[in-house]
């Protein structure tokens, strides 16, 4: 997210190199990353940096898959959400054209609708995404931060139009859960629910999670969990987390990532330092048993 803004090119290149060397494949970005940290007031820095890295590493495009998002980029610098691009057919086409130009690629492997857009008929958005797949500009499409009913509605419309449906979901999810019915502080975030998982498993959709290690809150005392996570269930889960991490001789972050993967969820990790990406990749070696999963479920 912060490549090209808070994370300078040399450090970002090193992180990307380490990621690929460790067997990593997917790079997830967005056309709006990171307008809030860019003096220009607009997004695009992350996509441009990925492009610079690809140009500096001939042949690397064949080794990685790139996912990006449209919907949230500012059309007017320093004006959001008023100038967010939206999900009209024109906005989607223009957004994707720019998201190909910045990294210098001819297609993306997965295109996300970053958030809902109630000002545009869903038929229009679905048709625009389907057209991109037909043209092989995007190989797959999916929604981020959409309610399950919206996802199923879009998939139904895609079937009616004869275009490629959404086949992946991206939502916020982690081991600890916020208090029910309390909004999160981060604008635009939507939590994964049991209904989302039910839909995904019933329809064969892949599920991708973000903010899974809670910005370091599991391992750093200087990064406390947000207030909405302050409830008895969190304390119980964190106690089990420490026990399991000790039993497996891994970090709490690695347990959280392994817990997600054990459920068939693909977690994203936003790394800003080399050791973060190395530890995240090592989470693939953490083996959680059914008994571990049961202990976490009971603690909640």
């Amino acid at each position: 997210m912060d490549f090209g803004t808070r994370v300078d090119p040399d450090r970002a290149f090193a992180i990307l190199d380490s990621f690929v060397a460790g067997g990593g494949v997917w790079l997830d970005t967005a056309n709006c990353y990171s307008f809030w940290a860019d003096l220009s007031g607009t997004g695009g820095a992350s996509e441009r940096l990925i492009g610079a890295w690809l140009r500096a590493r001939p042949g690397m495009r064949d080794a990685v898959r790139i996912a990006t998002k449209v919907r949230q980029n500012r059309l007017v610098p320093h004006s959001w959400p008023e100038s967010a691009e939206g999900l009209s057919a024109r906005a989607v086409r223009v957004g994707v054209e720019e998201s190909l130009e910045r990294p210098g690629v001819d297609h993306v492997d997965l295109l996300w609708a970053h958030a809902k857009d109630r000002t545009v008929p869903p038929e229009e958005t679905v048709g625009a995404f389907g057209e991109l797949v037909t043209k092989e500009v995007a190989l797959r499409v999916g929604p981020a931060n959409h309610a399950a009913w919206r996802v199923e509605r879009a998939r139904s419309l895609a079937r009616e139009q004869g275009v490629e449906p959404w086949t992946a979901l991206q939502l916020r999810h982690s081991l600890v859960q916020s208090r029910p019915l309390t909004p999160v502080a981060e604008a635009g975030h939507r939590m994964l629910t049991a209904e989302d998982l039910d839909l995904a498993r019933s329809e064969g959709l892949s599920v991708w999670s973000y903010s899974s290690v809670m910005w370091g809150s599991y391992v750093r005392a200087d990064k406390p969990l947000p207030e909405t996570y302050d409830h008895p269930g969190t304390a119980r889960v964190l106690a089990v987390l420490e026990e399991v991490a000790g039993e497996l001789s891994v970090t709490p972050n690695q347990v959280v990532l392994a817990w997600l993967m054990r459920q068939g969820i693909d977690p994203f990790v936003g790394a800003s330092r080399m050791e973060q990406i190395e530890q995240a990749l090592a989470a693939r070696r953490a083996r959680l048993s059914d008994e571990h999963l049961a202990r976490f479920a009971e603690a909640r």
Side-chain angles (χ1 to χ4, degrees), residues 248-261:
L248 299 179
S249 298
V250 297
T251 69
N253 278 351
Q254 290 169 329
V255 173
V256 172
L257 295 174
W259 176 80
L260 289 161
M261 291 185 284

Side-chain angles (χ1 to χ4, degrees), residues 5-6 13 15 40 70 81 84 95-96 105 125 151 168 184 188 197 246 271 279 286 294:
T5 50
R6 295 189 178 105
F13 277 31
I15 290 169
S40 72
V70 295
V96 170
V105 297
T125 300
V151 178
V184 294
L197 278 177
Q279 289 181 17

